[in-house]
Amino acid sequence: MTDAQETAADSSLRTTGGAPPDDVEPAPIPLLEPREGIPPVIADEDALAEVIAAFAAGTGPVAVDAERASGYRYGQRAYLVQLRREGAGSALIDPVACPDLSGLGEAISGVEWVLHAATQDLPCLREIGMVPTRLFDTELAGRLAGFPRVGLGAMVENVLGFVLEKGHSAVDWSTRPLPEPWLRYAALDVELLVDLRDALEKELDRQGKLDWARQEFDAIAAAPPAEPRKDPWRRTSGMHKVRRRRQLGVVRELWQTRDRIAQRRDVSPGKVLSDAAIVEAALALPLDVQALAALNGFGHRMGRRQLEQWQAAVDRAKALPDSALPQPGQPVTGPPPPRAWADKDPEAAARLSAARAAVSAVAEGLNMPQENLITPDTVRRVCWEPPKNVDAESVGAALAGYGARAWQVEQVTPALVDALTAKAP
């Protein structure tokens, strides 16, 4: 970090949440520029080998970012990978042209990777062979440190005093060739990521939270890939309107048909058929193509062949025997929804109310979001089925059993012990 950046970072960290006096004109915030210009996009094995060698020989942490084409393409694959390391500079890699980056991943495997919102990028990086063993998440660090705005642009501006260019985060990164303004935006995403990491590490240390953050980062790095969702069609937007099992069968059949088409065409499912149209057809149970075409989401510029494929899906669901229709709701493995607690178990509802208030107070005292102090699901599970003997040891063990880190157990256990002894009024 340069002296100017260090001064800006220290000043911002000291004055977060404050405002300059009325008679002081705020200094303009400079627009960040790439230090070495926009690097060329790496799109062949020879150029990739040079990047691997350069990053293996670099020093210090590696800034890593990835761009996806959410809303445009099927799935969440990476379409551009950006890296920066002291001694190596910045690199932009096309993972379509270079789909196996395991060699790069191995070259920097023992190095700390710096990412912003790591859990968003790690799945697509894992697909191309890049898996960190150590990481620092600047977004999560900002949350733990109490910053109210933790987007990368806001963090760079508030902590380092530079403005990042905006406007290209939601573009179609599968576009080839990538326009120069997009590449500039992508390169800037890793330009100051290590500088931001260094400033946030100092702030977390000042607040006594650095060890907490390290525990969180270790948990992210060690987490296994997420399991595929069971019955993903149930997440169709507007499902709350669908009540009958036959209608649920139509949603399932339309969703699965859409998913197959989207995967084959490599486009976002929403570009094939909207969730709203799926729910509309499920509620109406149209008798034929003409009735389907009259529904919202089907008639506008949709060809006869497309209408026929959707009506065929509806007809398949209508022909299913009752035994093959999906059941309403999903099997519940944990506690019931909190809104049902008062009727099912008033004492549990009282415990949950007390626990939520207690966790909120602890989080406020630590200046961090409640969900980063302890997950709401963990609180619900402990309140629904508390340990037989409610004391610090048993509650702490229960929290740890649900995945809470040691620092979280230490901070919330006393409050939860009190909450778990609350009685229903």
Side-chain angles (χ1 to χ4, degrees), residues 94 156 175 184 238 241 281 290 377-378 386:
D94 180 357
V156 167
T175 300
R184 175 190 177 87
K241 303 175 187 175
Q290 288 72 29
D377 180 67
T378 297

Side-chain angles (χ1 to χ4, degrees), residues 127-210:
E127 287 181 359
I128 53 179
M130 296 185 65
V131 183
T133 55
R134 297 166 50 210
L135 64 84
F136 189 107
D137 186 334
T138 49
E139 186 205 43
L140 181 52
R143 292 181 183 278
L144 296 175
F147 283 85
R149 297 167 59 226
V150 293
L152 181 59
M155 293 293 289
V156 167
E157 183 173 334
N158 292 337
V159 177
L160 300 178
F162 285 91
V163 173
L164 284 178
E165 288 187 11
K166 301 175 182 177
H168 301 302
S169 61
V171 298
D172 181 3
W173 288 96
S174 68
T175 300
R176 293 296 184 270
L178 286 164
E180 184 173 310
W182 299 11
L183 296 174
R184 175 190 177 87
Y185 166 91
L188 289 174
D189 269 0
V190 292
E191 184 78 14
L192 291 181
L193 208 50
V194 173
D195 299 308
L196 180 60
R197 170 235 180 272
D198 292 344
L200 289 171
E201 182 179 60
K202 288 182 180 179
E203 178 63 7
L204 288 166
D205 191 34
R206 186 187 71 80
Q207 295 185 21
K209 299 175 180 176
L210 183 55

Side-chain angles (χ1 to χ4, degrees), residues 239-285:
M239 276 289 290
H240 63 281
K241 303 175 187 175
V242 183
R243 305 289 186 184
R244 290 156 47 197
R245 292 179 64 199
R246 185 69 55 185
Q247 294 172 332
L248 289 171
V250 171
V251 171
R252 181 177 64 184
E253 193 63 42
L254 285 171
W255 189 98
Q256 292 174 344
T257 301
R258 178 184 72 173
D259 195 64
R260 288 193 294 270
I261 295 169
Q263 188 170 13
R264 186 179 71 245
R265 290 170 49 191
D266 189 19
V267 297
S268 169
K271 289 188 175 296
V272 176
L273 187 68
S274 70
D275 281 9
I278 289 177
V279 171
E280 187 89 3
L283 295 176
L285 297 174

Side-chain angles (χ1 to χ4, degrees), residues 81-167:
V81 175
Q82 309 100 280
L83 304 98
R84 183 175 181 84
R85 191 180 191 192
E86 186 69 30
S90 295
L92 303 178
I93 302 175
D94 180 357
V96 177
C98 302
D100 181 7
L101 297 186
S102 57
L104 175 60
E106 291 170 8
I108 57 175
S109 64
V111 178
E112 181 185 85
W113 296 18
V114 184
L115 300 100
H116 192 82
T119 54
Q120 294 182 20
D121 288 339
L122 288 179
C124 69
L125 290 170
R126 184 180 284 111
E127 287 181 359
I128 53 179
M130 296 185 65
V131 183
T133 55
R134 297 166 50 210
L135 64 84
F136 189 107
D137 186 334
T138 49
E139 186 205 43
L140 181 52
R143 292 181 183 278
L144 296 175
F147 283 85
R149 297 167 59 226
V150 293
L152 181 59
M155 293 293 289
V156 167
E157 183 173 334
N158 292 337
V159 177
L160 300 178
F162 285 91
V163 173
L164 284 178
E165 288 187 11
K166 301 175 182 177

Side-chain angles (χ1 to χ4, degrees), residues 18 32 34 91 99 133 136 190 230 233 237 256 261 292 300 332 336 369 390:
L32 184 63
T133 55
F136 189 107
V190 292
K230 180 177 173 59
W233 59 270
S237 180
Q256 292 174 344
I261 295 169
L292 182 70
H300 184 57
V332 177
V390 176

